[in-house]
Amino acid sequence: MNRMIRLVVVSICMAILAIVLMISVTHISLVCAATESPSVEANAKDSSLQQKERVLAILTIGKSTTTVERSRTILEEILEKDENKFCREASAMALGILCDKKAIPKLKQSLKDDFGNVKMRAVWALAKMGDKSGKELALETIKGEDVTAQLLAVEAIEAIGDKDMIDELKKNLDSKNVWTKIHSKLAIKRLEIQGLSEAEKLNFLEKTLKDNQLEVNRWAAIELGKRGTTEAINILKQATKDRENPGNYSARKILQRLVEMGKISKEDLQR
């Protein structure tokens, strides 16, 4: 029964993760030309629109390169006053993308938001601007019960990049909260890789790909896939040939995705 419950929880968390990652990467595919459109600003503020439309508009505003002052003002207003917590979250993230340091005071205020996602997006945004004042909050959040906020805390901790957090995170590896253990281990890996040479990073990822924890070896596989070099692809291919490698499944999924994206061919996998 415990195993079944854990599988259900994992499935739910993976669905949450997919939503989180969708929000995180959506801005990359947005059309920058739309950034200055009055309709985008109107959509960002219009509470009668569907949440998805508003979030996309908010993230688009964060991509502004010519109207930074106006974009910051709009995003700060949404962050401070909007009743939709996901729009406030998107605003915090958009401010991090905009990276205007004048937004730091409003972002610091949002560290007291009732919604964990908003707080962790704000910590991440502050870190992108060189402000690490949310470090303790991120470390505390990863020990909490909100799994999504924990995951966002991992991203915030990575952005902060202080390796002195590793010792504190290691204390969580004996936690009774399984997700605290998993996310703390993931955060440690994402800190440890920072500052390494590219060759050292490949060795580190190859070793991490063998980690018994799915979330950890999946992160390693994703990072290798992002690199897409011959060396990185070979590490993934070797993992798929070793059934004893805990990262076998993660490596296969990433290679499959790279084939679907046209980054590598099916023939490449046979070589």
Side-chain angles (χ1 to χ4, degrees):
M1 180 63 70
N2 287 338
R3 176 179 173 79
M4 183 175 294
I5 292 173
R6 188 172 188 276
L7 287 173
V8 171
V9 172
V10 170
S11 298
I12 293 172
C13 288
M14 289 307 98
I16 292 172
L17 174 59
I19 295 170
V20 170
L21 292 179
M22 182 275 289
I23 293 175
S24 298
V25 302
T26 297
H27 67 276
I28 296 175
S29 61
L30 296 175
V31 180
C32 294
T35 305
E36 299 173 26
S37 168
S39 62
V40 173
E41 294 182 7
N43 288 349
K45 298 177 181 179
D46 190 349
S47 60
S48 68
L49 291 180
Q50 289 188 358
Q51 180 177 286
K52 181 179 179 181
E53 290 182 69
R54 292 195 64 201
V55 167
L56 289 176
I58 290 167
L59 292 174
T60 302
I61 292 173
K63 290 287 291 180
S64 173
T65 57
T66 58
T67 58
V68 174
E69 184 77 19
R70 180 173 178 79
S71 296
R72 176 177 56 77
T73 301
I74 294 170
L75 294 172
E76 286 179 335
E77 181 180 353
I78 295 172
L79 177 64
E80 184 177 20
K81 300 178 180 179
D82 206 279
E83 294 183 0
N84 187 305
K85 60 185 180 182
F86 293 106
C87 289
R88 296 200 306 275
E89 176 188 357
S91 294
M93 185 179 177
L95 285 168
I97 296 167
L98 193 65
C99 216
D100 180 359
K101 290 187 177 182
K102 291 181 181 179
I104 287 178
K106 292 294 184 183
L107 285 167
K108 284 186 174 181
Q109 287 180 22
S110 69
L111 296 180
K112 298 179 181 179
D113 196 281
D114 293 333
F115 188 36
N117 288 21
V118 175
K119 290 189 281 192
M120 288 304 98
R121 293 294 191 189
V123 174
W124 174 84
L126 286 167
K128 298 292 282 185
M129 300 177 196
D131 186 305
K132 302 179 180 182
S133 57
K135 181 166 73 171
E136 294 304 320
L137 180 58
L139 288 171
E140 191 62 32
T141 298
I142 211 167
K143 294 187 287 188
E145 299 296 326
D146 186 334
V147 176
T148 307
Q150 281 187 10
L151 181 60
L152 296 180
V154 173
E155 294 186 10
I157 287 169
E158 180 181 37
I160 292 168
D162 282 356
K163 291 194 175 184
D164 62 6
M165 293 187 284
I166 291 176
D167 287 341
E168 188 65 28
L169 289 164
K170 284 182 177 179
K171 296 177 183 178
N172 299 334
L173 299 182
D174 293 325
S175 172
K176 293 181 180 179
N177 183 324
V178 63
W179 290 109
T180 293
K181 291 169 63 174
I182 291 171
H183 288 137
S184 293
K185 190 173 187 179
L186 181 57
I188 289 169
K189 293 297 183 183
R190 291 169 76 158
L191 285 173
E192 288 178 335
I193 196 172
Q194 296 186 30
L196 301 180
S197 68
E198 189 57 33
E200 289 171 331
K201 286 180 179 179
L202 285 176
N203 289 333
F204 180 85
L205 292 170
E206 182 174 16
K207 180 179 179 181
T208 305
L209 189 58
K210 299 176 182 178
D211 195 279
N212 287 322
Q213 187 61 53
L214 171 63
E215 290 77 6
V216 175
N217 66 53
R218 179 172 55 207
W219 168 77
I222 291 171
E223 288 298 309
L224 287 165
K226 285 179 182 177
R227 282 161 172 77
T229 61
T230 300
E231 294 84 355
I233 297 301
N234 284 338
I235 292 172
L236 290 168
K237 287 165 64 175
Q238 285 301 120
T240 64
K241 296 174 183 178
D242 182 4
R243 293 185 179 181
E244 299 301 315
N245 187 332
N248 179 288
Y249 174 78
S250 295
R252 283 191 287 110
K253 295 298 288 184
I254 292 301
L255 287 173
Q256 180 182 343
R257 188 172 302 172
L258 290 174
V259 169
E260 292 170 353
M261 295 171 62
K263 300 294 184 181
I264 58 175
S265 66
K266 291 182 178 180
E267 291 71 24
D268 290 333
L269 299 182
Q270 308 303 320
R271 294 171 186 167

